[in-house]
Amino acid sequence: MRKIILVAAATFGLAGFAQAADITGAGATFPFPIYAKWAEAYKKETGIGLNYQSIGSGGGIRQIKSKTVDFGASDMPLKGEDLEKDGLLQFPAVMGALVPAINIAGIEARQLKFTGPILSAIYQGEIKKWNDPKLTALNPGLKLPDANITVVYRSDGSGTTFVWTDYLSRVSPEWKSKIGANTSVQFPVGVGGKGNEGVSASVKQIANSIGYVEYAYAKQNKLSYGLIENRDGKFPMPDDSSFQAAAANANWNEAPGFGIILNNQPGAEAWPITSATFILMHKKAEKPEQSKAALAFFDWAFKNGDKLATDLEYVPMPANVKDQIRASWKGIVDASSKPIF
Amino acid sequence: MAAVTDQVDVPRAPAMRKTPKGTFDIVFRNASFGSALLVLVLLAGIMASMIIGGWPAFREMGLGFITSSIWDTQNDQYGAWPAIVGTLTTAFLALLIGVPLSLGIAVFLTQLAPPWFKQPVSTAIELLAAVPSIIYGMWGLFVFVPLFAAYVQQPVSRVVEGMPIVGTILYAASPSGLGILSAGIILAFMIIPFIASIVRDMLDQIPSVLRESAYGIGATTWEVVRHVLVPQAGVSIIGACMLGLGRALGETMAVTFVVGNANRLSSSIMDPGSTIASRIANEFNEAIGLQLNALIALGCILFFVTFVVLVIARILVSRVKAF
């Protein structure tokens, strides 16, 4: 019996030591690949690991509120009053973009054009067939089939759904009043896939379907995707430059904690569905050395992580925004109200 | 039964054994009683925490929580009806497909199969029961669903379009292969091993003298099965089906993959829907506030339904163990 207790104590003790050195974080699934990549490189350089659990934005918010992690991650920015209430500091870490993935025989990537109102009508079940007059008028050169559209959406609560429905709310008053924007909404038509994998798999398998996924997923899974008319009436190609153009004209100080959504930004080059993903930390650090380690990690990522981010089709934060974020870190203090970073 | 009572009486009889072994006996008895009690405490704890967690949703929505079809996270309106209907429909379809097949397997294995064939099939069925449900889900999504869409859903939809009744029940608005019927079929595959192996054991228990007498007076195999075996094992077969039903009601991952995850009620079993378990699996990660309460309340309803089904199954199975 005593032996068992000793072994148990030793195991827990060791586990305690191992965790003390590592940074812990939890939340959004969308930035998980880049956080993992950054963590790998960071561990090689500094020996400090990052234990990030991609449990979803809602889970990340819950965990940082209950202080079980050093930082939480969310795709949906928290509102100023919520940040205030829980004493949280928020800053964006990296950006990404969504594309409408399609599966129509004979239509290649970047051939089919959409507008915001057309996407909204498709997702409301008002446009039912691919050869709808609205679509054929916008795409005169393409041969669109006389087939029913199968709409695919994320069935799990997800920041991706929030960004997509926020975009549809901005371009369609009808969508805004009937369905709205959230991490999960009541889609009037279509089938739900669980996770980005679920949506990609469904779009790939179901003929004449449309879904929304991160650009990186569409590219990795070789899904075909369409172009979307932006606010200036242009059809930019989804790539680094159009994603960065969306971020360039944004006013980051418009909302507390840089909590703006980059959908439908002005600019001829701007990709219309772009969004940042956010980090949440307590302003009053209970474990100052852990919070400091987390900030050091993001500082390193802002300095050295841009190449890794673009390799994975993410968009690094613009340089001037990074400086503003670093300045905001002064808001995280220890017990004696001294900034820890 | 008699043997068990004998064993309990043994330590009491010789009063002189006051060695350290006596203390060990007491410790052992208390420890095993504690383990048994732990199960009850756990069950009560789970039930209590589900009721407490789900209470805000029940209070806010009232009876509407069960009867309403609206699941709107925007305005915090939650109704469980489509999920309840989806759960019951998929489980019912699973039984409809799974039970006849299971009975066929059990009768074949106990009455008809040559010995060299019996063992491999029995082992295969037990292995099927051990396959993790996520594997059924992945196989369902990547292999079964595309085939089902191309060779069942689309042809059937073309045939029944416009017909009364079947034109509604079997017509797929968007033939994606995902839907209530697909989930029911996958669930049937999952419960067949359970039902088949229980029924096989039940049929093996029937005294062979009964069967032999029936054959002796000239009954055919069908007549023996129909008039001797099934009436003898009847109630326990129903019990086995209830156990399968219990599994089908609560199955989560496999269903989430193939059911289509639509929070709406549809009159066609080819259309996507959702079940209580799939709804919880989908939304729990991101749920906050009343939505979380509503999901726990959903769990509470599922817990209740499954509990009732299992109690009935236990009663039916135990009644037949008597002979």
Side-chain angles (χ1 to χ4, degrees), chain B residues 105-145:
Chain B
I105 292 170
V107 168
F108 177 76
L109 284 181
T110 53
Q111 314 300 323
L112 302 168
W116 62 267
F117 193 58
K118 194 173 166 171
Q119 197 50 48
V121 175
S122 294
T123 314
I125 285 172
E126 267 142 37
L127 280 177
L128 270 183
V131 173
S133 62
I134 185 102
I135 304 292
Y136 281 103
M138 303 283 272
W139 175 81
L141 179 62
F142 289 105
V143 181
F144 175 77
V145 162

Short mmCIF file of all heavy atoms in Angstrom, two decimals, chain B residues 105-145:
data_model
loop_
_atom_site.label_atom_id
_atom_site.label_comp_id
_atom_site.label_asym_id
_atom_site.label_seq_id
_atom_site.Cartn_x
_atom_site.Cartn_y
_atom_site.Cartn_z
N ILE B 105 -29.30 -14.68 -37.83
CA ILE B 105 -27.94 -15.12 -37.49
C ILE B 105 -27.98 -16.11 -36.32
O ILE B 105 -27.36 -17.17 -36.36
CB ILE B 105 -27.07 -13.90 -37.11
CG1 ILE B 105 -26.83 -13.03 -38.36
CG2 ILE B 105 -25.74 -14.34 -36.53
CD1 ILE B 105 -26.21 -11.70 -38.05
N ALA B 106 -28.76 -15.75 -35.28
CA ALA B 106 -28.79 -16.59 -34.07
C ALA B 106 -29.37 -17.97 -34.38
O ALA B 106 -28.83 -18.99 -33.96
CB ALA B 106 -29.59 -15.90 -32.98
N VAL B 107 -30.48 -18.01 -35.14
CA VAL B 107 -31.09 -19.30 -35.47
C VAL B 107 -30.15 -20.13 -36.32
O VAL B 107 -29.93 -21.32 -36.07
CB VAL B 107 -32.44 -19.08 -36.20
CG1 VAL B 107 -32.93 -20.38 -36.81
CG2 VAL B 107 -33.46 -18.49 -35.25
N PHE B 108 -29.51 -19.47 -37.30
CA PHE B 108 -28.58 -20.19 -38.16
C PHE B 108 -27.44 -20.80 -37.34
O PHE B 108 -27.10 -21.97 -37.50
CB PHE B 108 -28.01 -19.25 -39.22
CG PHE B 108 -26.99 -19.89 -40.11
CD1 PHE B 108 -27.38 -20.76 -41.11
CD2 PHE B 108 -25.64 -19.64 -39.91
CE1 PHE B 108 -26.43 -21.37 -41.91
CE2 PHE B 108 -24.69 -20.25 -40.72
CZ PHE B 108 -25.09 -21.11 -41.72
N LEU B 109 -26.87 -19.99 -36.42
CA LEU B 109 -25.72 -20.46 -35.66
C LEU B 109 -26.08 -21.61 -34.72
O LEU B 109 -25.29 -22.53 -34.54
CB LEU B 109 -25.12 -19.31 -34.83
CG LEU B 109 -24.30 -18.29 -35.63
CD1 LEU B 109 -23.77 -17.23 -34.69
CD2 LEU B 109 -23.16 -18.99 -36.36
N THR B 110 -27.28 -21.55 -34.11
CA THR B 110 -27.59 -22.58 -33.12
C THR B 110 -28.24 -23.81 -33.75
O THR B 110 -28.10 -24.89 -33.21
CB THR B 110 -28.54 -22.03 -32.04
OG1 THR B 110 -29.66 -21.45 -32.69
CG2 THR B 110 -27.86 -20.99 -31.19
N GLN B 111 -28.95 -23.64 -34.87
CA GLN B 111 -29.72 -24.76 -35.40
C GLN B 111 -29.18 -25.34 -36.70
O GLN B 111 -29.33 -26.53 -36.94
CB GLN B 111 -31.19 -24.35 -35.64
CG GLN B 111 -31.82 -23.58 -34.51
CD GLN B 111 -31.84 -24.38 -33.22
OE1 GLN B 111 -32.04 -25.59 -33.23
NE2 GLN B 111 -31.60 -23.71 -32.10
N LEU B 112 -28.63 -24.50 -37.54
CA LEU B 112 -28.37 -24.95 -38.90
C LEU B 112 -26.89 -25.05 -39.25
O LEU B 112 -26.51 -25.88 -40.06
CB LEU B 112 -29.03 -23.98 -39.90
CG LEU B 112 -30.55 -23.83 -39.74
CD1 LEU B 112 -31.04 -22.66 -40.57
CD2 LEU B 112 -31.24 -25.11 -40.18
N ALA B 113 -26.05 -24.21 -38.64
CA ALA B 113 -24.66 -24.11 -39.12
C ALA B 113 -23.89 -25.38 -38.83
O ALA B 113 -23.99 -25.94 -37.74
CB ALA B 113 -23.98 -22.93 -38.44
N PRO B 114 -23.08 -25.84 -39.82
CA PRO B 114 -22.17 -26.96 -39.55
C PRO B 114 -21.10 -26.49 -38.54
O PRO B 114 -20.72 -25.32 -38.56
CB PRO B 114 -21.55 -27.26 -40.92
CG PRO B 114 -21.77 -26.04 -41.74
CD PRO B 114 -23.00 -25.36 -41.20
N PRO B 115 -20.64 -27.37 -37.67
CA PRO B 115 -19.73 -26.96 -36.60
C PRO B 115 -18.50 -26.18 -37.09
O PRO B 115 -18.07 -25.23 -36.45
CB PRO B 115 -19.32 -28.30 -35.97
CG PRO B 115 -20.41 -29.24 -36.31
CD PRO B 115 -20.97 -28.79 -37.62
N TRP B 116 -17.91 -26.59 -38.24
CA TRP B 116 -16.71 -25.90 -38.71
C TRP B 116 -16.99 -24.45 -39.09
O TRP B 116 -16.11 -23.61 -39.13
CB TRP B 116 -16.09 -26.65 -39.90
CG TRP B 116 -17.02 -26.71 -41.12
CD1 TRP B 116 -17.89 -27.70 -41.43
CD2 TRP B 116 -17.14 -25.73 -42.15
NE1 TRP B 116 -18.58 -27.42 -42.57
CE2 TRP B 116 -18.14 -26.22 -43.05
CE3 TRP B 116 -16.54 -24.51 -42.42
CZ2 TRP B 116 -18.53 -25.50 -44.18
CZ3 TRP B 116 -16.92 -23.80 -43.56
CH2 TRP B 116 -17.91 -24.29 -44.42
N PHE B 117 -18.26 -24.14 -39.36
CA PHE B 117 -18.62 -22.79 -39.79
C PHE B 117 -19.07 -21.95 -38.60
O PHE B 117 -18.95 -20.73 -38.61
CB PHE B 117 -19.73 -22.89 -40.82
CG PHE B 117 -19.99 -21.61 -41.57
CD1 PHE B 117 -18.97 -21.00 -42.29
CD2 PHE B 117 -21.25 -21.03 -41.55
CE1 PHE B 117 -19.21 -19.83 -42.98
CE2 PHE B 117 -21.49 -19.85 -42.25
CZ PHE B 117 -20.46 -19.25 -42.96
N LYS B 118 -19.58 -22.62 -37.57
CA LYS B 118 -20.18 -21.94 -36.43
C LYS B 118 -19.16 -21.06 -35.70
O LYS B 118 -19.43 -19.90 -35.38
CB LYS B 118 -20.73 -23.01 -35.48
CG LYS B 118 -21.66 -22.47 -34.44
CD LYS B 118 -22.29 -23.62 -33.66
CE LYS B 118 -22.95 -23.09 -32.41
NZ LYS B 118 -23.74 -24.08 -31.72
N GLN B 119 -17.98 -21.64 -35.46
CA GLN B 119 -17.00 -20.93 -34.65
C GLN B 119 -16.50 -19.64 -35.30
O GLN B 119 -16.52 -18.58 -34.68
CB GLN B 119 -15.83 -21.87 -34.30
CG GLN B 119 -14.98 -21.38 -33.13
CD GLN B 119 -15.85 -20.99 -31.93
OE1 GLN B 119 -16.73 -21.74 -31.53
NE2 GLN B 119 -15.63 -19.81 -31.38
N PRO B 120 -16.06 -19.70 -36.58
CA PRO B 120 -15.59 -18.45 -37.20
C PRO B 120 -16.67 -17.36 -37.21
O PRO B 120 -16.36 -16.20 -36.94
CB PRO B 120 -15.20 -18.85 -38.63
CG PRO B 120 -15.28 -20.31 -38.71
CD PRO B 120 -15.85 -20.86 -37.46
N VAL B 121 -17.92 -17.73 -37.49
CA VAL B 121 -18.97 -16.71 -37.56
C VAL B 121 -19.22 -16.12 -36.17
O VAL B 121 -19.34 -14.89 -36.01
CB VAL B 121 -20.28 -17.29 -38.14
CG1 VAL B 121 -21.39 -16.25 -38.08
CG2 VAL B 121 -20.06 -17.73 -39.58
N SER B 122 -19.24 -17.00 -35.14
CA SER B 122 -19.45 -16.50 -33.78
C SER B 122 -18.35 -15.51 -33.41
O SER B 122 -18.61 -14.43 -32.86
CB SER B 122 -19.43 -17.65 -32.78
OG SER B 122 -20.52 -18.47 -33.02
N THR B 123 -17.10 -15.87 -33.72
CA THR B 123 -15.98 -14.99 -33.39
C THR B 123 -16.09 -13.67 -34.15
O THR B 123 -15.87 -12.59 -33.58
CB THR B 123 -14.65 -15.68 -33.75
OG1 THR B 123 -14.69 -17.01 -33.26
CG2 THR B 123 -13.48 -14.94 -33.12
N ALA B 124 -16.46 -13.75 -35.42
CA ALA B 124 -16.59 -12.54 -36.23
C ALA B 124 -17.63 -11.60 -35.62
O ALA B 124 -17.43 -10.38 -35.56
CB ALA B 124 -16.96 -12.90 -37.66
N ILE B 125 -18.73 -12.17 -35.14
CA ILE B 125 -19.78 -11.33 -34.56
C ILE B 125 -19.29 -10.66 -33.29
O ILE B 125 -19.50 -9.46 -33.07
CB ILE B 125 -21.03 -12.19 -34.27
CG1 ILE B 125 -21.73 -12.48 -35.59
CG2 ILE B 125 -21.98 -11.47 -33.34
CD1 ILE B 125 -22.84 -13.46 -35.47
N GLU B 126 -18.53 -11.42 -32.47
CA GLU B 126 -18.02 -10.80 -31.25
C GLU B 126 -17.00 -9.71 -31.58
O GLU B 126 -16.92 -8.70 -30.90
CB GLU B 126 -17.41 -11.87 -30.34
CG GLU B 126 -18.43 -12.38 -29.33
CD GLU B 126 -18.34 -13.86 -29.07
OE1 GLU B 126 -17.22 -14.38 -29.04
OE2 GLU B 126 -19.41 -14.48 -28.90
N LEU B 127 -16.22 -9.93 -32.64
CA LEU B 127 -15.25 -8.90 -33.04
C LEU B 127 -15.98 -7.64 -33.51
O LEU B 127 -15.55 -6.52 -33.22
CB LEU B 127 -14.35 -9.42 -34.17
CG LEU B 127 -13.21 -10.32 -33.71
CD1 LEU B 127 -12.44 -10.82 -34.92
CD2 LEU B 127 -12.26 -9.57 -32.78
N LEU B 128 -17.08 -7.84 -34.25
CA LEU B 128 -17.85 -6.69 -34.72
C LEU B 128 -18.33 -5.84 -33.55
O LEU B 128 -18.35 -4.61 -33.62
CB LEU B 128 -19.07 -7.16 -35.52
CG LEU B 128 -18.89 -7.34 -37.01
CD1 LEU B 128 -20.23 -7.73 -37.63
CD2 LEU B 128 -18.39 -6.07 -37.66
N ALA B 129 -18.70 -6.51 -32.45
CA ALA B 129 -19.18 -5.79 -31.28
C ALA B 129 -18.06 -4.96 -30.66
O ALA B 129 -18.32 -3.98 -29.97
CB ALA B 129 -19.74 -6.76 -30.25
N ALA B 130 -16.80 -5.36 -30.91
CA ALA B 130 -15.69 -4.66 -30.29
C ALA B 130 -15.16 -3.50 -31.14
O ALA B 130 -14.31 -2.75 -30.68
CB ALA B 130 -14.56 -5.64 -30.01
N VAL B 131 -15.66 -3.35 -32.37
CA VAL B 131 -15.18 -2.25 -33.23
C VAL B 131 -15.63 -0.92 -32.62
O VAL B 131 -16.81 -0.74 -32.31
CB VAL B 131 -15.73 -2.40 -34.66
CG1 VAL B 131 -15.38 -1.20 -35.49
CG2 VAL B 131 -15.19 -3.65 -35.31
N PRO B 132 -14.70 0.04 -32.43
CA PRO B 132 -15.09 1.33 -31.85
C PRO B 132 -16.08 2.06 -32.77
O PRO B 132 -16.00 1.94 -33.99
CB PRO B 132 -13.78 2.11 -31.78
CG PRO B 132 -12.71 1.12 -32.00
CD PRO B 132 -13.28 -0.02 -32.73
N SER B 133 -17.00 2.81 -32.15
CA SER B 133 -18.06 3.40 -32.96
C SER B 133 -17.53 4.44 -33.94
O SER B 133 -18.11 4.66 -34.99
CB SER B 133 -19.13 4.02 -32.06
OG SER B 133 -18.57 5.04 -31.28
N ILE B 134 -16.40 5.08 -33.61
CA ILE B 134 -15.86 6.09 -34.54
C ILE B 134 -15.49 5.43 -35.87
O ILE B 134 -15.61 6.04 -36.93
CB ILE B 134 -14.65 6.81 -33.91
CG1 ILE B 134 -14.13 7.94 -34.79
CG2 ILE B 134 -13.49 5.86 -33.65
CD1 ILE B 134 -14.52 9.27 -34.37
N ILE B 135 -15.08 4.14 -35.81
CA ILE B 135 -14.72 3.43 -37.04
C ILE B 135 -15.97 3.24 -37.90
O ILE B 135 -15.94 3.44 -39.11
CB ILE B 135 -14.09 2.06 -36.71
CG1 ILE B 135 -12.89 2.24 -35.80
CG2 ILE B 135 -13.71 1.30 -37.97
CD1 ILE B 135 -11.72 2.91 -36.44
N TYR B 136 -17.08 2.86 -37.24
CA TYR B 136 -18.34 2.75 -37.99
C TYR B 136 -18.70 4.09 -38.62
O TYR B 136 -19.19 4.15 -39.74
CB TYR B 136 -19.47 2.31 -37.05
CG TYR B 136 -19.49 0.84 -36.74
CD1 TYR B 136 -19.04 0.36 -35.53
CD2 TYR B 136 -19.97 -0.07 -37.68
CE1 TYR B 136 -19.06 -0.99 -35.24
CE2 TYR B 136 -19.99 -1.42 -37.40
CZ TYR B 136 -19.54 -1.88 -36.18
OH TYR B 136 -19.56 -3.22 -35.90
N GLY B 137 -18.45 5.19 -37.87
CA GLY B 137 -18.77 6.52 -38.39
C GLY B 137 -17.94 6.87 -39.60
O GLY B 137 -18.45 7.31 -40.63
N MET B 138 -16.63 6.64 -39.50
CA MET B 138 -15.73 6.96 -40.62
C MET B 138 -16.08 6.10 -41.83
O MET B 138 -16.18 6.59 -42.95
CB MET B 138 -14.26 6.68 -40.23
CG MET B 138 -13.81 7.40 -39.01
SD MET B 138 -13.48 9.10 -39.37
CE MET B 138 -11.80 8.99 -39.86
N TRP B 139 -16.25 4.80 -41.59
CA TRP B 139 -16.60 3.90 -42.68
C TRP B 139 -17.93 4.36 -43.29
O TRP B 139 -18.08 4.39 -44.51
CB TRP B 139 -16.71 2.47 -42.14
CG TRP B 139 -17.19 1.49 -43.17
CD1 TRP B 139 -16.42 0.91 -44.14
CD2 TRP B 139 -18.51 1.02 -43.35
NE1 TRP B 139 -17.20 0.09 -44.91
CE2 TRP B 139 -18.49 0.15 -44.45
CE3 TRP B 139 -19.73 1.25 -42.70
CZ2 TRP B 139 -19.62 -0.50 -44.91
CZ3 TRP B 139 -20.85 0.60 -43.16
CH2 TRP B 139 -20.79 -0.26 -44.25
N GLY B 140 -18.88 4.73 -42.41
CA GLY B 140 -20.18 5.19 -42.90
C GLY B 140 -20.03 6.41 -43.79
O GLY B 140 -20.60 6.46 -44.88
N LEU B 141 -19.25 7.39 -43.35
CA LEU B 141 -19.14 8.65 -44.08
C LEU B 141 -18.38 8.48 -45.39
O LEU B 141 -18.79 8.99 -46.43
CB LEU B 141 -18.44 9.70 -43.21
CG LEU B 141 -18.25 11.07 -43.85
CD1 LEU B 141 -19.58 11.71 -44.19
CD2 LEU B 141 -17.46 11.99 -42.95
N PHE B 142 -17.27 7.72 -45.34
CA PHE B 142 -16.40 7.68 -46.52
C PHE B 142 -16.76 6.56 -47.49
O PHE B 142 -16.50 6.68 -48.68
CB PHE B 142 -14.94 7.56 -46.10
CG PHE B 142 -14.41 8.82 -45.47
CD1 PHE B 142 -14.21 8.90 -44.11
CD2 PHE B 142 -14.16 9.93 -46.26
CE1 PHE B 142 -13.75 10.07 -43.53
CE2 PHE B 142 -13.71 11.11 -45.69
CZ PHE B 142 -13.50 11.18 -44.33
N VAL B 143 -17.33 5.46 -47.01
CA VAL B 143 -17.62 4.33 -47.89
C VAL B 143 -19.12 4.17 -48.13
O VAL B 143 -19.58 4.15 -49.26
CB VAL B 143 -17.04 3.02 -47.30
CG1 VAL B 143 -17.31 1.86 -48.24
CG2 VAL B 143 -15.55 3.17 -47.05
N PHE B 144 -19.86 4.10 -47.02
CA PHE B 144 -21.28 3.76 -47.15
C PHE B 144 -22.10 4.90 -47.77
O PHE B 144 -22.90 4.67 -48.68
CB PHE B 144 -21.82 3.38 -45.76
CG PHE B 144 -23.30 3.14 -45.74
CD1 PHE B 144 -23.82 1.96 -46.22
CD2 PHE B 144 -24.16 4.10 -45.25
CE1 PHE B 144 -25.18 1.73 -46.21
CE2 PHE B 144 -25.52 3.89 -45.24
CZ PHE B 144 -26.04 2.70 -45.72
N VAL B 145 -21.89 6.12 -47.26
CA VAL B 145 -22.73 7.25 -47.67
C VAL B 145 -22.68 7.52 -49.18
O VAL B 145 -23.73 7.67 -49.82
CB VAL B 145 -22.39 8.50 -46.84
CG1 VAL B 145 -22.89 9.77 -47.49
CG2 VAL B 145 -22.96 8.36 -45.43
#
